[in-house]
Amino acid sequence: MVDVVVVGAGFAGLYMVHRARELGLDVVGIEAADGVGGTWWWNRYPGARCDVESLEYSYSFDEDLQQEWEWTERYAGQPEILRYLDHVADRFDLRPHFRFGTRVTAATWDEGRARWWVETDAGDTVKARFVVMATGCLSSAMEPAIPGRDSFAGATHHTGRWPHEGVDLAGRRVGVIGTGSSGIQAIPVIAEEAAELTVFQRTPAYSVPARNGPLDPVEAKEVKARYAELRAANRLRATGFGSRVPPAGASALQATDEERRAEYEARWQRGGFTFLAGYTDLFTDPGANATAAEFVREKIGEVVADPEVAARLAPTQMIGCKRLCLDTGYYEAFNRPHVRLVDLRETLLEAITPDGIRTSAGHHDLDVIVFATGFDAMTGALSRIDVRGRDGLDLRDAWAAGPRTYLGLAVHGFPNLFTVTGPGSPSVLTNMVVSIEHHVDWIAGCIAHLDQAGRTAIEARPEAQERWVEHVNGVAAFTIFPTCSSWYLGANVPGKTRVFMPLPGFPAYAETVAEITADGYRGFALT
Ligand code: FAD
Ligand code: NAP
C-alpha cells in the first residue's frame, strides 16, 4: 500500500511525483512509455516543437532550474524539450519512483478500506490512498477508420506515435492526412525530404508564422533577471502566457481600419500566438473575430502563388475556434511543384488501397501515409482505463453525456481521485505548464490538508459539481468556441458527446479555486 499512485510521466506526472515526495509521501508513478516526457516522448514527427515560447513553456517551480536551463530556440524542438524533461527527472531524482513500460488498465475504489486498487498490464495491483491521473489531454492518438486501412503495402505512421528511429522519407511519395497543428508543423519539413507530397485536407486551419529561430541571449538574460515577475504576470493572462506582448486595446471594432491592420501586421511579423491577443474581444465578438480572420486569409492569398490552392487553404470558421496553428513555411510549401493539396470537401476520401489513397477524383500512389489526425482529447486517456468509483460506478458511464467534474480536479462518485488539467478547467486553452503546476500544487496541498486534519477521503459533492458544469457551459457560451467542430468539443471523435470541455480564462479560475480552498474546500465532502 502506498500513499499515491501517479499515472503518467509527462510535465504533470513528473511534477506530481516531485511534490508528493517533498511531502514525504510514498509515491509510485506508472507510465506506459519507456521513458519520461509524455507528449514529448511520443510526438517525434518531423517539425514537432512547442508553440508557446520555451522561456514560458517550462516549469517555474524551481528557481535554480529555470535559471540554469538554456533553451537554444525561441520554440524548442521535440528533442530539446525531451532533453529538458529528462534533465528534470534526473535533477529531482524522479526516475526511481516510476514504473515505465507499464500501462494502467483499471482503478477500483474500495469504499470499506478507503483505497484505490490500481491494476496494470504487467499483471500487478498497487493499492493507494490517492490516485492522480496525469494521463494527458492529448495523449490518446486517433486514427480514423478509413476503409482499406490495413491493406496499404507501404508504411503508415501517426504523428503522435512516431517511430523513435525516425522515418526515411527521402525519395518517397508521402501522403499526409490532417492539417491541424501537427500536420502544419510536419508538412514543410516532409516537403523538404519527400519526392512527392500530397496533403489531404478536410478543414483548412488558420496558421500564423512562428518566426522561430535561435533564442536571443539578451532576451533570455532579461527574462531570467525577472523570471518570477514574468511567471506571475503570465498567470494573470487568460491563457497563462504572453504577458510580454500586451493587448493593443479592448475592442478590435473600436480601432480604425488602419490601426487594426497595423496592429495585426506588427503581430504577424513578430510571430506566434500573441497575434490573437491584440484585442481582448477577438474570442467573444464574432465581428471583431472576423477582422483577424480576414487578415490571415489575405496573407494566405499573398503567400500562395496559385489562387485556386490559396482559396482551398483559406479557412471559413472563426479564427481561434479551433486551436490556432503556428508554422514555419506551411503556406509556402504549397508553392513547391512536388506538393499537392487535395481538398476533401470537394473530393471524397474513399479508401486506402494497397498502393495509396483513392478519392472520388482518382488514385494517389503513395509509399508512406502520415496520419496527422489528432487525439481523443481530454477524456480519451481516462476512458481507456476501467475506472470504477463508489458502488462500481464506471467513469465512462458517469461521463456518457460529456465529462462532469468539480473544478476539473475531482469527480463525484470517485473519492480520492484527482485529474490534472481535467475537463472543466482551463487546461488546453492555456500554456499547459502553468495549468499543470497550478493543479499539482493544489492536489499536493489538498493531500497535506487531509493528512493534517486526520481525514481519509475527499469527494466532490454532486450539487457543487452540477453548478460547476453549468458555470463552465455558461462561460463557454459567451465565447466563439462552441461555433465550430473542434476537438475542444469532442467533434473529431465519432460518437463522442459534443460538450465544450475546457474552461476559458485562467485567472478567474485560479481565483475561484483559491476561494473554495480557503473556505474549507467548499463543495467537497471530507470524511
Ligand atoms: P502528457 O505529456 O500527455 O503525458 C501523459 C502521459 O500519461 C503519457 O506519457 C502517457 O503515455 C501516459 N499515460 C496515459 N494513460 C496511461 C495509462 N493508462 N497507463 C500508463 N500511462 C498512461 N501545450 C502547450 O501549452 N504548449 C505547447 O507548445 C504544446 N505543444 C504541443 C505539441 C504537441 C505535438 C502536442 C501533442 C501537444 C502539445 N501541447 C502543448 C499540449 C501538451 O500535451 C502539454 O503541454 C503537456 O505536455 C501535457 O503534459 P501532461 O503530463 O499533462 O500529459
Ligand atoms: P487536430 O488539431 O485534431 O488535427 C487533426 C487533423 O486531422 C484535422 O485537420 C482534421 O480535420 C483531420 N482529420 C481527422 N480525422 C480525419 C479524417 N477521417 N479524414 C480526414 N481528415 C481528418 O490534431 P493535431 O494536429 O495533432 O493537434 C492536436 C492539438 O495538439 C493541437 O490543437 C495543439 O493543442 C496540440 N499540438 C500542438 C502543436 C504545436 O504547435 N506545439 C503541434 C501539434 C499538436 P478536421 O479539422 O476537419 O477535423
Side-chain angles (χ1 to χ4, degrees), residues 5-10 28-36 38 41-42 95-106 118-126 132-135 139 161 381 384-385:
V5 162
V6 176
V7 190
V28 170
I30 304 178
E31 167 58 61
D34 289 331
V36 304
W41 195 90
W42 294 103
R95 256 180 250 278
H97 301 278
F98 275 96
R99 298 181 188 177
F100 295 106
T102 307
R103 183 168 286 280
V104 169
T105 51
V118 180
E119 292 166 54
T120 77
D121 62 359
D124 53 7
T125 302
V126 186
V132 180
M133 292 296 186
T135 44
S139 58
R161 292 286 178 271
R384 289 180 191 190
I385 303 173

Side-chain angles (χ1 to χ4, degrees), residues 386-428:
D386 188 12
V387 183
R388 302 288 174 141
R390 190 174 326 95
D391 302 327
L393 178 63
D394 186 333
L395 184 64
R396 286 169 290 220
D397 291 338
W399 285 6
R404 308 181 85 73
T405 72
Y406 185 39
L407 307 176
L409 278 159
V411 187
H412 173 67
F414 299 83
N416 290 9
L417 179 94
F418 300 107
T419 49
V420 182
T421 64
S425 73
S427 65
V428 292

Side-chain angles (χ1 to χ4, degrees), residues 452-527:
Q452 278 156 17
R455 308 294 185 111
T456 53
I458 183 166
E459 183 184 353
R461 291 183 188 278
E463 65 282 3
Q465 178 168 296
E466 287 316 299
R467 275 200 303 275
W468 187 253
V469 170
E470 275 170 32
H471 170 68
V472 174
N473 291 339
V475 174
F478 272 106
T479 70
I480 55 120
F481 287 118
T483 65
C484 70
S485 298
S486 68
W487 59 254
Y488 296 138
L489 283 157
N492 62 326
V493 180
K496 189 166 173 174
T497 308
R498 290 195 184 197
V499 178
F500 189 75
M501 294 181 281
L503 168 69
F506 181 79
Y509 169 76
E511 218 171 281
T512 305
V513 171
E515 277 168 18
I516 284 170
T517 310
D519 195 14
Y521 290 85
R522 192 175 68 233
F524 287 98
L526 276 58
T527 51

